[in-house]
Amino acid sequence: MLENLRKCLETKIATQANLVQLRGQKRTIITCMVKNGVIEEFSNVALGGVGARVLVDNKSWGFSSTSMVDASNLEKTLVNAVKLAKSSSKLKKQQIRLASAKTVKADITLNAKKPLQNFSADDIAEIPLDACKGAREVGQRIAEAKATYISIADDKYFLSTEGAEIHQNITRVVLYVDIIAKGNNTICPASESLGHAGGLELFDKTSPYALGKTTAEKAARLLNAKAPPSGKFRVVVHPTLCATLLHEAIGHPLEADLAMSGGGFGNQIGKFVSSKLVTIYDDGRVEGGLGYFPYDDEGVECKHTVLIENGVLRSFMHDRTSAALSSVSPTGNAHAWDYSVEPLIRQTNIGIEAGDYAEEELIEDVKEGLFLEGTFGGQADVNADFTFGFQSAKRINHGKLTEELRGANVAGNAIEVFKTIDAVGKDAVLRPGACGKFQFAIQGRVVPAIRCEIMVGGMGE
Amino acid sequence: MSLDEKWMMLGDYVRKTIRKLERKGITHAEAFFTSTRTTEVAIRNSEILTQNRADDDGVGFRVVIEKNKVGFACTNELSEKAVLEAGEKALAIAKVSSEVPNFALPAEGTTSKVNGLFDVEVAEVNVEDVVDIAKRAIDAAEEYDKRVIAKDGRVVFMAGWRGVVNTLGVDCEERETRTALYLAGGGEHDGEVTSSCSDYTFKRTPNLNPENLGENVAKKVISMFNPKPITSFQGTVIFGPEAVSYQLCDVLVDALKGENVIAGRSAWTRRIGEMVASENLTITDSATLEGGFASRSFDDEGAPSQNTVAIREGKLESFLHNATTANALKTKNTGNASRFPGGLDMVRMIVGNGYKAKPEVYPSNLVIQPGNKSKETLLAEIDKGVLIEYMGGFAQAGSGLISAQLSQAFYIQNGEIQHPIKGGMVSGVAFDWFKQICGIGNDSKQFVNSFVPSLMVGNVKIIGA
């Protein structure tokens, strides 16, 4: 593939563009989904192709992708990209400037402790089977136990007419456990996940069996729990839920493309936008983070970017275009899900710096509130208005955790919610995450527990 | 190479592979394959952001060996060798897989053509024409009112082929085109930025009517100026078509899917023949709807399309099935195998749709039979309530629990809209709401997998901010 990509950059058509970026990729995804002890889906997905992105007349982008990667088809794809870019060039009012980035030549392979290629299909199947086994041992009330193993092996090239030539070879592994408990005339779901960039050493600390079992125990327990109340509460947000809150409601408005479209954090650099206890960063180099990317899909090095420092807005996440508009350096946040789509500004591993509160200390100052745990995902808009689900809650009464309650949704405006943070937990944990901003992405989150005020939409009293 | 030439080539490799697999002692083999060409223009902050074209061809094989052990593998490499390798990988995986109870594939059947699925103008579109549609949508929104900004949008033109071949005699293929226009706008008024307001059009033809859509988006944005908070109350809610399509249909689909019924996970398990909704509610799955966005003459396993009445006047009549779920419940296959299901399944988001995944049960066009009242007539009947055009969040699978943000909603008093609502949520169990439906609009709208009107529901809990 590398030779064909190099040749493509040397074709005559490449000279018609201000910039050509070629991304070649081979991706192998193995999925093994076990439901109630039966392997229901075992798949090998082999995908490959090249995406050509071009800038013409310094104001118009074009992009074209193909799965046929021979030299002649690559050239045709590039011709298409140039034609597409020119099609709207005349309509464009504004020039596109790109922030300069170091021209990188790099060859990176992630060395996993337990590389995927050392394991057979039988070994792989054992992973979700074990998780299911752990779940089913909880008993009759587990109506459905589903465990899904996924590995993604990416072999990626980035070449540009600026001279970049980057090869990245990275594997990722995730395990999802989804439980549905039934009884007491009701149905109750619970889910958990593990995931990282690396190999099967993912399961050295937490076994699939243990993950299955604890998740199923929770779902079974919640069958007897009451619904949470509704209204505004003082809450302690467990890292599992804090991860979603951070990513969806604070992370997205800190993405420069969304920030520049108005609302949220726009035009507030240097101003207090959050509680002084809050420092937020994005870091593509967090070891083991599911969002581990040494270089982004514009060839820019990923690094540790402080976004909010002690409550003050310091930076957005940028690609080369938004960085130029803001007269700053790009932050390595241009990522594409695969070769067939264009890079967008995405989070890598977004994190909150740990504070100094132990979990008990977070709880003991709350007179009447809720401890919210687990996530069912959610959504937020550029104004940081969010809605998302938590899996369970515990009532806090005079500084003590009391009865366990079922899940519901929380909603509000995250910027307002983050201003109410009055304590940050001391243990930041690495969580796997995913995002669907126009295209899919897998990402990491590094999050402690936080204490704040939030609106809960429960059905109970 | 043209789309049609690639399609011929792919079909040839696929059929050769199926014949080779047949000689390897398998029980069944199936191939699902597509060739598509998609042209897309993206809008960002009043400008055309980018235009892109994707050519994609691929095939996914399911190979079944003794004891119903199934393996799946796919490739998007258009070569005889890669296609054969994918077939062989599926066989190798089947050998380490476990028995799938009641596994079945459809046998050869008679499919009848559904009209209005292909439009040559879409297939042969020039990117300039797609750019023009985007431009007209932006202009229509921003010229309607200067305070409105077209923040985000997409115009998509897709042409493609879809085919299924299996060792039970199924060998069918169909050509189709799809077009879609999406525009989201926002606006600033008195220093307050509205949340984003969007509209969609899903078609098979190039007639996306961008002026109309742009103007609608602008009207929506302006309608959200000067929002006010409300206090909590129980009242009548009108769910607009988008709110019905986005969250209420998700609950319906979850309860109607054959696999959920088998797992006992559907709230309507063993309730065929019972009243599950208000008697003014009739719901069909209509795969043969002429020009419908999700219409098709055969499903994604090759079973012939049909119309299935799921709920007739409130009474549950049928679930939705593919070959396997129908076999498990010893009932008729309703032709609902889908390789393009909606929903938020993580595996599917990682792996992708179409040839990259095995089929699930999902509606084609889920049609809620419209009523005969306009939205204004419905509104006039309400003393105190809320009109919800769009609600954020999502429904909880199984339980039907919805606690959603009032993203675009209006407070109603004495039959009239008073003001847009700031903050607040709506909370309840969608299965209860279906029983409390007291009015249905005549304003049906096509979404990706549904065609639905406004629903008016009594006694719904609204939480103030």
Side-chain angles (χ1 to χ4, degrees):
Chain A
M1 177 175 303
L2 182 59
E3 271 316 303
N4 288 346
L5 292 171
R6 281 179 181 151
K7 264 190 224 158
C8 187
L9 285 182
E10 284 158 14
T11 53
K12 210 172 147 202
I13 186 77
T15 60
Q16 292 188 24
N18 309 110
L19 173 66
V20 178
Q21 296 174 334
L22 296 178
R23 289 187 294 112
Q25 182 174 28
K26 279 205 157 197
R27 166 173 280 179
T28 306
I29 304 176
I30 307 284
T31 69
C32 185
M33 190 267 276
V34 173
K35 207 187 263 178
N36 300 333
V38 175
I39 302 175
E40 280 210 358
E41 192 169 335
F42 203 159
S43 308
N44 180 305
V45 177
L47 301 172
V50 169
R53 187 186 190 216
V54 302
L55 180 66
V56 303
D57 303 334
N58 280 317
K59 56 183 183 180
S60 187
W61 285 111
F63 181 86
S64 184
S65 69
T66 179
S67 57
M68 297 165 90
V69 298
D70 56 286
S72 121
N73 268 300
L74 285 193
E75 190 177 342
K76 279 182 200 149
T77 304
L78 184 58
V79 169
N80 269 328
V82 171
K83 182 172 172 275
L84 289 158
K86 287 186 172 167
S87 70
S88 75
S89 177
K90 282 189 207 82
L91 297 172
K92 291 284 171 76
K93 295 166 209 141
Q94 289 160 8
Q95 292 250 315
I96 293 174
R97 283 189 309 122
L98 298 183
S100 63
K102 206 168 80 183
T103 300
V104 178
K105 292 202 188 287
D107 190 342
I108 288 176
T109 295
L110 178 75
N111 291 312
K113 261 188 233 144
K114 295 183 176 173
L116 298 181
Q117 67 267 23
N118 294 359
F119 296 86
S120 69
D122 279 319
D123 299 332
I124 297 297
E126 280 308 311
I127 295 165
L129 282 167
D130 271 351
C132 240
K133 188 167 168 242
R136 276 151 62 91
E137 281 178 10
V138 171
Q140 291 269 313
R141 301 207 292 176
I142 303 307
E144 186 176 290
K146 185 170 107 174
T148 311
Y149 163 94
I150 303 174
S151 68
I152 306 169
D154 275 327
D155 197 8
K156 285 174 32 169
Y157 289 97
F158 176 87
L159 279 78
S160 75
T161 45
E162 291 173 322
E165 197 170 302
I166 301 169
H167 176 222
Q168 300 183 81
N169 197 338
I170 293 171
T171 60
R172 295 169 215 276
V173 179
V174 287
L175 177 67
Y176 297 104
V177 173
D178 297 292
I179 305 292
I180 292 167
K182 219 179 150 187
N184 207 8
N185 266 329
T186 187
I187 292 171
C188 201
S191 56
E192 244 304 355
S193 57
L194 290 176
H196 77 166
L200 294 190
E201 67 279 7
L202 174 66
F203 306 110
D204 288 354
K205 254 198 265 167
T206 307
S207 72
Y209 175 88
L211 190 75
K213 191 162 182 182
T214 49
T215 312
E217 281 169 350
K218 181 171 166 183
R221 237 178 20 240
L222 290 175
L223 286 174
N224 296 325
K226 286 187 207 145
S230 64
K232 202 170 243 181
F233 288 93
R234 181 131 216 96
V235 296
V236 175
V237 180
H238 186 266
T240 44
L241 180 62
C242 187
T244 305
L245 182 61
L246 173 65
H247 158 76
E248 292 286 352
I250 294 290
H252 282 310
L254 287 169
E255 294 162 1
D257 52 345
L258 298 182
M260 284 171 178
S261 68
F265 290 119
N267 303 326
Q268 298 204 55
I269 291 278
K271 294 186 184 154
F272 268 104
V273 294
S274 192
S275 153
K276 282 183 184 176
L277 301 172
V278 175
T279 292
I280 293 171
Y281 61 88
D282 182 81
D283 189 346
R285 298 236 174 190
V286 172
E287 218 170 288
L290 202 51
Y292 170 77
F293 298 98
Y295 295 92
D296 78 359
D297 290 316
E298 290 186 317
V300 175
E301 187 175 5
C302 297
K303 51 192 175 197
H304 185 96
T305 310
V306 175
L307 304 167
I308 293 175
E309 188 177 21
N310 301 324
V312 177
L313 183 62
R314 292 293 179 210
S315 173
F316 292 107
M317 287 171 265
H318 287 288
D319 60 11
R320 289 180 64 185
T321 311
S322 72
L325 283 171
S326 313
S327 306
V328 296
S329 297
T331 55
N333 286 96
H335 295 269
W337 170 237
D338 66 18
Y339 73 88
S340 72
V341 286
E342 289 159 276
L344 281 176
I345 298 179
R346 308 302 292 257
Q347 298 163 41
T348 60
N349 303 294
I350 192 166
I352 299 179
E353 293 285 0
D356 40 30
Y357 281 72
E359 193 175 288
E360 315 81 74
E361 292 168 331
L362 287 168
I363 293 160
E364 71 189 10
D365 293 339
V366 180
K367 196 171 156 209
E368 201 189 332
L370 295 167
F371 180 76
L372 308 178
E373 256 183 294
T375 177
F376 284 123
Q379 55 168 219
D381 67 13
V382 292
N383 298 333
D385 284 338
F386 67 85
T387 317
F388 41 74
F390 56 93
Q391 295 188 16
S392 67
K394 286 188 185 107
R395 218 184 272 277
I396 306 175
N397 210 328
H398 295 285
K400 294 239 157 50
L401 290 179
T402 60
E403 67 173 330
E404 191 165 31
L405 303 166
R406 302 183 62 173
N409 281 0
V410 285
N413 180 279
I415 299 173
E416 297 307 316
V417 168
F418 265 56
K419 283 180 184 160
T420 68
I421 291 177
D422 69 347
V424 177
K426 65 180 181 184
D427 300 309
V429 293
L430 183 57
R431 301 279 312 160
C435 171
K437 175 184 169 186
F438 304 118
Q439 45 178 273
F440 194 67
I442 42 179
Q443 304 169 337
R445 275 126 218 192
V446 193
V447 272
I450 55 168
R451 191 169 68 202
C452 60
E453 261 175 32
I454 214 162
M455 181 151 92
V456 178
M459 302 271 293
E461 298 304 318
Chain B
M1 210 182 298
S2 77
L3 188 64
D4 292 354
E5 284 166 340
K6 286 203 291 184
W7 179 247
M8 296 280 288
M9 215 163 91
L10 179 59
D12 179 45
Y13 302 155
V14 164
R15 290 180 182 92
K16 275 183 187 159
T17 299
I18 291 280
R19 284 198 293 274
K20 281 188 182 155
L21 288 169
E22 266 184 312
R23 294 196 291 268
K24 294 193 175 186
I26 58 161
T27 315
H28 301 300
E30 174 212 56
F32 174 86
F33 51 118
T34 55
S35 276
T36 56
R37 172 163 294 175
T38 311
T39 305
E40 190 173 317
V41 170
I43 297 164
R44 176 79 48 78
N45 293 338
S46 314
E47 282 237 69
I48 308 283
L49 176 71
T50 172
Q51 35 282 317
N52 102 41
R53 194 181 107 172
D55 287 349
D56 189 36
D57 317 278
V59 54
F61 288 98
R62 281 193 291 175
V63 174
V64 192
I65 58 170
E66 81 284 335
K67 291 186 187 158
N68 280 344
K69 290 158 79 175
V70 187
F72 177 89
C74 71
T75 182
N76 69 345
E77 194 182 327
L78 193 53
S79 75
E80 189 166 349
K81 183 167 163 268
V83 171
L84 179 61
E85 266 173 21
E88 285 170 346
K89 267 187 211 160
L91 173 57
I93 289 173
K95 288 176 181 163
V96 294
S97 206
S98 52
E99 182 178 344
V100 178
N102 303 304
F103 184 85
L105 291 174
E108 192 179 354
T110 317
T111 60
S112 31
K113 188 176 185 302
V114 178
N115 289 323
L117 305 188
F118 180 81
D119 186 306
V120 70
E121 272 187 62
V122 175
E124 291 172 2
V125 74
N126 284 315
V127 63
E128 287 79 6
D129 297 329
V130 187
V131 167
D132 182 57
I133 290 172
K135 189 79 181 67
R136 283 156 59 199
I138 298 170
D139 290 348
E142 299 189 343
E143 279 163 18
Y144 182 83
D145 191 304
K146 295 292 166 210
R147 292 168 296 181
V148 175
I149 301 162
K151 281 188 169 183
D152 186 55
R154 300 255 149 166
V155 189
V156 183
F157 274 59
M158 187 282 277
W161 283 95
R162 182 177 68 99
V164 183
V165 177
N166 77 23
T167 51
L168 290 171
V170 167
D171 190 339
C172 43
E173 56 183 41
E174 185 160 62
R175 195 165 59 150
E176 64 173 342
T177 52
R178 285 167 195 254
T179 58
L181 169 59
Y182 152 71
L183 188 72
E188 206 175 319
H189 182 67
D190 286 348
E192 196 161 2
V193 182
T194 64
S195 56
S196 123
C197 300
S198 52
D199 200 2
Y200 311 80
T201 308
F202 299 102
K203 288 256 162 86
R204 298 287 193 171
T205 68
N207 311 320
L208 288 168
N209 206 348
E211 284 79 12
N212 188 27
L213 186 117
E215 210 175 293
N216 274 348
V217 169
K219 284 179 185 162
K220 283 187 180 186
V221 170
I222 292 162
S223 74
M224 290 306 291
F225 287 161
N226 301 321
K228 293 178 199 158
I230 51 168
T231 51
S232 302
F233 70 100
Q234 296 267 130
T236 305
V237 168
I238 298 175
F239 294 95
E242 193 178 352
V244 171
S245 156
Y246 178 46
Q247 296 206 31
L248 299 188
C249 280
D250 293 339
V251 174
L252 282 173
V253 171
D254 205 72
L256 290 174
K257 279 166 83 167
E259 59 222 44
N260 291 354
V261 177
I262 294 164
R265 186 154 34 102
S266 161
W268 292 338
T269 305
R270 281 187 295 277
R271 296 192 58 190
I272 292 277
E274 290 180 30
M275 291 297 286
V276 294
S278 149
E279 60 188 19
N280 50 16
L281 190 69
T282 293
I283 300 175
T284 56
D285 177 77
S286 306
T288 56
L289 190 70
E290 186 174 333
F293 198 70
S295 296
R296 57 201 179 201
S297 63
F298 55 89
D299 76 1
D300 291 339
E301 289 179 324
S305 285
Q306 63 172 59
N307 262 349
T308 307
V309 178
I311 292 174
R312 192 190 302 270
E313 293 169 357
K315 192 157 89 179
L316 181 65
E317 286 204 348
S318 176
F319 294 113
L320 304 180
H321 292 290
N322 62 15
T324 299
T325 63
N327 186 36
L329 292 176
K330 304 287 168 250
T331 183
K332 194 171 165 281
N333 184 355
T334 57
N336 283 98
S338 172
R339 309 219 188 206
F340 302 89
L344 296 164
D345 182 73
M346 194 61 75
V347 182
R348 198 165 275 281
M349 286 192 277
I350 291 177
V351 171
N353 274 332
Y355 63 84
K356 296 168 197 161
K358 68 166 195 142
E360 283 176 29
V361 174
Y362 206 74
S364 55
N365 303 292
L366 194 73
V367 179
I368 296 181
Q369 198 173 300
N372 47 20
K373 289 181 182 168
S374 69
K375 195 180 273 170
E376 290 67 34
T377 315
L378 291 175
L379 263 167
E381 294 174 10
I382 297 178
D383 287 338
K384 185 175 175 174
V386 169
L387 164 66
I388 303 177
E389 293 288 8
Y390 178 73
M391 49 191 186
F394 46 87
Q396 193 182 72
S399 67
L401 190 71
I402 291 178
S403 58
Q405 190 176 23
L406 298 176
S407 307
Q408 201 193 333
F410 305 87
Y411 180 62
I412 307 166
Q413 211 170 9
N414 304 326
E416 278 176 25
I417 288 182
Q418 303 296 318
H419 57 79
I421 297 170
K422 184 179 185 163
M425 295 175 84
V426 57
S427 177
V429 178
F431 295 114
D432 296 337
W433 292 349
F434 297 142
K435 291 180 191 154
Q436 292 154 222
I437 292 172
C438 50
I440 299 185
N442 60 2
D443 51 351
S444 287
K445 192 168 154 79
Q446 171 87 58
F447 296 91
V448 176
N449 288 102
S450 61
F451 192 68
V452 293
S454 293
L455 296 178
M456 183 159 87
V457 179
N459 203 22
V460 176
K461 181 173 179 176
I462 299 292
I463 304 162

